[in-house]
């Protein structure tokens, strides 16, 4: 993979700024001229043109009108909204707590038929038991300094995870073996979580693979990502969620998922790795 998802989001934002700057130049306007026509401080047009400040829909309409290109406003606004939604900081997502984002993404989970999930840090949300989720979300809340609605968020995540058992959904999930050992909860919920993985592996709509820590890598460990059908990939970094919808980028992540699948243990070997992790809890 030649570029990080965050660089793709930055490139999308830069593309919007470049389009606006191009309209200004085509109209023969300077930044000062455009600011006067829009009733702005001169610094505003300069910061938008350089991609430093992000324009609102109203800013884009005013900019296009000033450049005699009002007919292009709708298209640029659409590009702007797409670029803005690609990269969303967790602090912004969780500004009112975590319950709301789980409820907001439930329709996406319900309409997705094929999930492909790769996890290198924690057990994916749809496979989590309540005790494991509680430990994880408490840690996230403390680290981010966002409102504590952990109990409500846990219930919302559990509700969203009903797609694992209801409806026509297929799950192909890959976990790095190290995920089985990361203590994001106390021993009892950790044991319950690992035992639940053994249970869910028996579902006909679930394929759970464990990538052994000592496996010869053809793809290096990546940031966790969720692929929803072939339409969207959500990549999770420390600071933000990055949503990719460009076919080329989606294809790259799906290719990485296919390559990672080739080195994953399935069936009995995967069960043995999970059982080994349970034993290690003592």
């Amino acid at each position: 993979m030649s570029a990080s998802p965050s660089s793709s989001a930055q490139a999308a934002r830069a593309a919007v700024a470049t389009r606006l700057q191009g309209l200004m130049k085509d109209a023969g306007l300077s930044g000062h001229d455009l600011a006067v026509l829009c009733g702005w401080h001169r610094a505003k047009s300069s910061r938008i043109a350089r991609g430093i400040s992000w324009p609102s829909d109203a800013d884009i309409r005013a900019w296009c009108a000033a450049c005699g290109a009002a007919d292009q406003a709708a298209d640029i606004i659409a590009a702007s909204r797409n670029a803005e939604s690609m990269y969303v900081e967790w602090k912004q997502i969780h500004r009112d707590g975590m319950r709301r984002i789980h409820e907001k993404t439930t329709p996406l989970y319900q309409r997705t038929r094929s999930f492909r999930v790769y996890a290198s840090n924690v057990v994916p949300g749809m496979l989590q038991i309540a005790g494991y989720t509680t430990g994880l979300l408490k840690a996230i809340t403390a680290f981010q300094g966002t409102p504590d609605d952990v109990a409500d968020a846990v219930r919302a995540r559990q509700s969203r995870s009903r797609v694992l058992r209801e409806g026509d959904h297929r799950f192909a999930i890959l976990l790095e073996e190290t995920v089985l050992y990361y203590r994001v909860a106390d021993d009892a919920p950790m044991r319950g979580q690992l035992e639940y993985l053994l249970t869910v592996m028996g579902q006909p709509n679930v394929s759970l693979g464990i990538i052994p820590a000592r496996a010869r890598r053809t793809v290096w460990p990546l940031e966790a990502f969720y692929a929803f059908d072939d339409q969207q990939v959500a990549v999770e970094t420390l600071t933000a969620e990055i949503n990719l919808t460009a076919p080329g980028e989606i294809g790259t992540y799906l290719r990485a998922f296919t390559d990672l699948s080739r080195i994953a243990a399935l069936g009995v070997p995967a069960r043995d790795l999970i059982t080994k992790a349970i034993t290690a809890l003592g």
Side-chain angles (χ1 to χ4, degrees), residues 156-170:
R157 178 169 289 190
Q158 292 289 300
S159 178
R160 188 182 67 181
S161 297
R162 288 162 56 185
V163 295
L164 197 69
R165 303 175 300 277
E166 301 176 359
D168 179 21
H169 310 279
R170 300 183 307 280

Side-chain angles (χ1 to χ4, degrees), residues 2-15:
S2 59
S4 70
S6 58
S7 66
S8 298
Q10 291 166 357
R13 292 172 69 103

